[in-house]
Structure formats: structure tokens, C-alpha cells
Amino acid sequence: MSAWQNDGGTEFTPRLIAVVSIVAILAISMGFASGMYFGRSSSPNLQTLADQARSTAKAVTVELAPAKPLYDKAVPAGTVENVSAYADAQARIVRARSILTNSRTSLTALAPGSYGRTIAAFDALISAASKPVAAAAFDRLFQATLDELAVLSGS
């Protein structure tokens, strides 16, 4: 008698249950094995992650760069003279830090210590930009932030 032959009743034979169980186990095993293969083959390698992290750090630098001339224009002597430029400078700094924060995973994988120092430099810069400081103090903090970004981007 074949495992698939049945007299029409609703009774399942132990042989039928065993065959269906073996087929189910094989199907699950094949699905798991193919998922592991395709999942691993499509994940980015370390070089790709490093390139993405460097690209992100460079994009942050591009976003941040206009903040200094805007701040210099807005706060030439330690007091706000151009409110619009001051707000634009602050927004640029915050937006650049946001881009950096959104890419935290790839950047910490590339250089965990450098990422932490860059965030600390951004925090100091944001703090300085939130209350007008002298141009020399802002320039020092701005340059420190750019230096940390350069380390992070590998340039």
C-alpha cells in the first residue's frame, strides 16, 4: 500500500504523517539554508561599509561648510547683527549633526573613537552657536569639528 492511498476516510496513517513530516522538515531546512546563503551574499562587505561611512562624513562636511561664513556674517563682534544668517548657521550645524547621528551604525563600525570625538566636537559647536560667542572661539570650535570630520572621512 502506498503512503498516499487512503480508503477515503479521514484517518491519517502513521506512515502518511511520517512522510508529510519528513517533507516539511526538508522544505524548512532548504528554506533556511537558501535564506542564509542569499542573506549573507547580499550583505555589504567591510569595504562597502567603510566607503559609505567616508561618503557620509564628506557629506556632513559639505553640509557644515557654509555655517562658518553665515556665522561670521551674523555675529561679527560677539553679538547677533543678522538674525536670518544666524538662524541659517545654527540650522546648518544641527542638520549636519543630524546626518552624522543618522549614520551612527556605519560610522562607529569604521572608527568608534573618532565618531565619539566628532559628536563631542559637534556638541561644543552647537552649544557655542546657540549663544553668540566671539568669532575666534567659534572659529576654533568649527575647525576642531572639521578636523574630526576629516579623520572620520579619511581625508
Side-chain angles (χ1 to χ4, degrees):
M1 175 181 220
S2 168
W4 300 107
Q5 288 179 343
N6 198 344
D7 61 1
T10 58
E11 214 174 295
F12 293 106
T13 64
R15 188 174 185 180
L16 178 63
I17 293 171
V19 169
V20 171
S21 298
I22 290 170
V23 169
I25 289 170
L26 286 173
I28 290 170
S29 298
M30 290 301 294
F32 179 74
S34 64
M36 290 295 289
Y37 173 76
F38 289 117
R40 296 214 185 261
S41 67
S42 64
S43 66
N45 62 22
L46 187 58
Q47 182 62 40
T48 303
L49 289 174
D51 291 344
Q52 288 174 347
R54 287 186 185 98
S55 177
T56 299
K58 288 177 183 175
V60 170
T61 303
V62 168
E63 178 65 34
L64 182 64
K68 183 180 177 329
L70 285 168
Y71 189 87
D72 290 344
K73 177 181 173 184
V75 188
T79 59
V80 177
E81 293 182 12
N82 185 334
V83 176
S84 176
Y86 182 63
D88 288 346
Q90 287 177 317
R92 284 269 183 186
I93 296 167
V94 170
R95 195 167 36 244
R97 188 189 187 284
S98 176
I99 294 168
L100 192 70
T101 304
N102 289 340
S103 301
R104 178 176 185 237
T105 304
S106 61
L107 292 170
T108 53
L110 178 65
S114 183
Y115 176 80
R117 288 189 303 273
T118 306
I119 289 295
F122 260 104
D123 289 344
L125 186 63
I126 288 170
S127 176
S130 68
K131 54 182 182 300
V133 296
F138 183 82
D139 290 348
R140 269 194 321 278
L141 293 170
F142 190 84
Q143 190 57 50
T145 305
L146 288 180
D147 292 345
E148 290 299 332
L149 282 169
V151 169
L152 204 55
S153 68
S155 51

